Amino acid sequence: MKKLIALICAVLVMGTSARAVEVAAPSALLMEKETGTVLFAKDEHAKLEPASVTKVMTLLLAMEAIDSGQLSYDTVITASAHACSMGGSQIWLKENEQMTVEDMLKAVCVVSANDCAVALAEQIAGSEDAFVERMNQRAKELGMNDTTFKNACGLPAEGHVTSAYDIALMSRELILNHPDIRQYTTIWMDTLRNGQSQLVNTNKLVRFYEGATGLKTGSTDSALYCLSGTAERDGMELIAVIMKDATSAQRFEDAKTLLSYGFSAYALKNVTPETPLPPVPVTLGTQATVQPVLGEGGSLLLEKSKAGDLQQSVTLAESVEAPVAKGDVLGALTVTSGGAAVAEIPLLAGEEVPRVTYGQMLLRLLQTAFLSD
């Protein structure tokens, strides 16, 4: 078998109902970042307008472009007439005005600047239309089956829709794999243009909710009030998505309700073997043993009542026959709480062990014969 990718992330015992709390928003979802576990859902696949929460995908593609070397934080972008024509939330870019990627990211994260979002899109893909194609392709790759993007900033457009579930998916991808985005999403107040432009975050959680890490607000007359709100406490980060709330204040209250519920009811535990894993014998291999390693799934999301007294046991194969591929399953680490299993994490081959050839086998026999003499 090839290397397993989260074959068994966790067998979670979730006795607490995912509807133990209620929110006013018609569509909402609470997700834990590390495992992707959904802790609360309310009409989470309803296809609704996301407004500027759209920019989570724009930010994701921008951060991926930085990671790939296509952009750097110091890259200077020249604003086009198209980018400057966006309207709505903006920092009033002038045509041909130049600004670094870092400052544009700050403007998008803090004040939801449509002009900067489109300028970034054009820099990355050559045009907003080409960038939107990338947005939709990335959405497919992430399993965002409720989503169709029509622009890079979230201004109203026919058919521009997503869902609370899909927003959680792209938000998770952004904060899980691009934690540097926090340097912008956690800003409460800042400036641009050498202090001439004042910025105040549209996300009130950043100022008023303990542990808030972001992420993106959105509102239009048709979308009403939306939010992807993230926060971290005790090493666990949660994503609360609120869609189509009646007021701005209500979306923040709903997000706080979900986040506080998650933090009060669940804990994230990182599991590692208590003792070193012994090597597993290999028959007919180019080496005698193969070293097992813990597979993906060592982060366990548990009810707090079950997270305090965890025990573990290891089961390994007595031996395996070559060839052994890196990532082959050699056993499992079982985690229990109160005698009940809460997770089974695969133990995988940490290296490849090819099968010996006939020539190698003959050489071994000859070496054995000479040594015995």
Side-chain angles (χ1 to χ4, degrees), residues 267-334:
L268 189 68
K269 295 292 183 179
N270 293 313
V271 176
T272 57
E274 293 173 341
T275 58
L277 296 172
V280 176
V282 179
T283 58
L284 300 177
T286 56
Q287 61 189 54
T289 62
V290 60
Q291 181 60 46
V293 296
L294 190 69
E296 296 188 33
S299 294
L300 305 182
L301 185 67
L302 303 168
E303 291 180 42
K304 282 193 171 179
S305 60
K306 295 180 173 66
D309 183 27
L310 298 180
Q311 298 178 330
Q312 57 180 251
S313 60
V314 170
T315 304
L316 284 169
E318 292 184 3
S319 66
V320 291
E321 184 175 326
V324 178
K326 185 177 181 180
D328 279 356
V329 177
L330 302 177
L333 186 152
T334 301

Side-chain angles (χ1 to χ4, degrees), residues 6 24 44 144 192 215 238 289 317 359 367:
E44 70 275 24
M144 297 170 59
L192 291 175
L215 187 61
L238 301 178
T289 62
Q367 289 173 333

Side-chain angles (χ1 to χ4, degrees), residues 51-66 71 101 104-105 108-109 113-122 124 128 131-132 134-136 138 144 149-155 160 170-171 174 181 216:
S52 283
V53 180
T54 296
K55 296 186 181 82
V56 172
M57 179 59 80
T58 303
L59 291 168
L60 173 60
L61 293 181
M63 296 302 290
E64 289 177 344
I66 291 171
L71 290 182
V101 166
M104 286 196 173
L105 286 172
V108 171
C109 292
N114 294 327
D115 43 9
C116 288
V118 174
L120 285 165
E122 292 176 330
I124 293 168
E128 185 181 11
F131 186 80
V132 171
R134 294 194 189 186
M135 294 172 72
N136 286 313
R138 195 71 180 93
M144 297 170 59
F149 292 118
K150 297 292 186 178
N151 59 57
C153 61
L155 286 170
H160 185 98
M170 65 178 178
S171 299
L174 177 60
I181 198 66
K216 192 70 203 71

Side-chain angles (χ1 to χ4, degrees), residues 61-109:
L61 293 181
M63 296 302 290
E64 289 177 344
I66 291 171
D67 284 355
S68 71
Q70 181 185 356
L71 290 182
S72 74
Y73 290 113
D74 295 329
T75 299
V76 176
I77 298 177
T78 301
S80 69
H82 175 63
C84 297
S85 71
M86 287 301 103
S89 301
Q90 57 185 307
I91 61 165
W92 307 101
L93 283 175
K94 303 297 183 184
E95 185 177 355
N96 296 321
E97 182 179 356
Q98 293 187 319
M99 189 170 287
T100 63
V101 166
E102 179 169 30
D103 281 350
M104 286 196 173
L105 286 172
K106 184 189 297 184
V108 171
C109 292

Side-chain angles (χ1 to χ4, degrees), residues 84-362:
C84 297
S85 71
M86 287 301 103
S89 301
Q90 57 185 307
I91 61 165
W92 307 101
L93 283 175
K94 303 297 183 184
E95 185 177 355
N96 296 321
E97 182 179 356
Q98 293 187 319
M99 189 170 287
T100 63
V101 166
E102 179 169 30
D103 281 350
M104 286 196 173
L105 286 172
K106 184 189 297 184
V108 171
C109 292
V110 179
V111 295
S112 196
N114 294 327
D115 43 9
C116 288
V118 174
L120 285 165
E122 292 176 330
Q123 181 72 21
I124 293 168
S127 70
E128 185 181 11
D129 287 343
F131 186 80
V132 171
E133 289 182 14
R134 294 194 189 186
M135 294 172 72
N136 286 313
Q137 178 59 40
R138 195 71 180 93
K140 288 180 181 179
E141 293 168 359
L142 293 174
M144 297 170 59
N145 299 322
D146 306 321
T147 298
T148 301
F149 292 118
K150 297 292 186 178
N151 59 57
C153 61
L155 286 170
E158 183 69 28
H160 185 98
V161 295
T162 187
S163 66
Y165 181 78
D166 284 5
I167 289 172
L169 289 181
M170 65 178 178
S171 299
R172 177 178 183 244
E173 183 71 15
L174 177 60
I175 63 175
L176 181 63
N177 294 313
H178 307 280
D180 285 353
I181 198 66
R182 280 191 183 192
Q183 63 186 313
Y184 308 111
T185 59
T186 56
I187 292 171
W188 174 238
M189 298 180 69
D190 208 331
T191 62
L192 291 175
R193 300 183 176 114
N194 296 317
Q196 296 178 16
S197 299
Q198 302 292 318
L199 306 178
V200 180
N201 205 319
T202 57
N203 182 4
K204 306 308 178 189
L205 295 180
V206 171
R207 175 67 177 84
F208 298 107
Y209 189 78
E210 179 189 350
T213 57
L215 187 61
K216 192 70 203 71
T217 60
S219 65
T220 64
D221 289 344
S222 51
L224 300 182
Y225 294 91
C226 308
L227 173 68
S228 178
T230 57
E232 182 176 24
R233 294 180 187 173
D234 298 323
M236 180 174 71
E237 192 163 15
L238 301 178
I239 305 161
V241 180
I242 303 297
M243 298 197 75
K244 209 163 187 174
D245 235 332
T247 66
S248 178
Q250 187 61 57
R251 68 178 163 184
F252 295 122
E253 287 304 311
D254 281 346
K256 287 191 288 185
T257 295
L258 292 185
L259 292 169
S260 296
Y261 159 69
F263 288 129
S264 66
Y266 296 95
L268 189 68
K269 295 292 183 179
N270 293 313
V271 176
T272 57
E274 293 173 341
T275 58
L277 296 172
V280 176
V282 179
T283 58
L284 300 177
T286 56
Q287 61 189 54
T289 62
V290 60
Q291 181 60 46
V293 296
L294 190 69
E296 296 188 33
S299 294
L300 305 182
L301 185 67
L302 303 168
E303 291 180 42
K304 282 193 171 179
S305 60
K306 295 180 173 66
D309 183 27
L310 298 180
Q311 298 178 330
Q312 57 180 251
S313 60
V314 170
T315 304
L316 284 169
E318 292 184 3
S319 66
V320 291
E321 184 175 326
V324 178
K326 185 177 181 180
D328 279 356
V329 177
L330 302 177
L333 186 152
T334 301
V335 182
T336 59
S337 176
V342 295
E344 189 174 88
I345 305 168
L347 298 175
L348 311 177
E351 57 192 329
E352 177 185 2
V353 182
R355 190 180 181 90
V356 293
T357 65
Y358 288 112
Q360 289 171 326
M361 196 176 300
L362 179 59

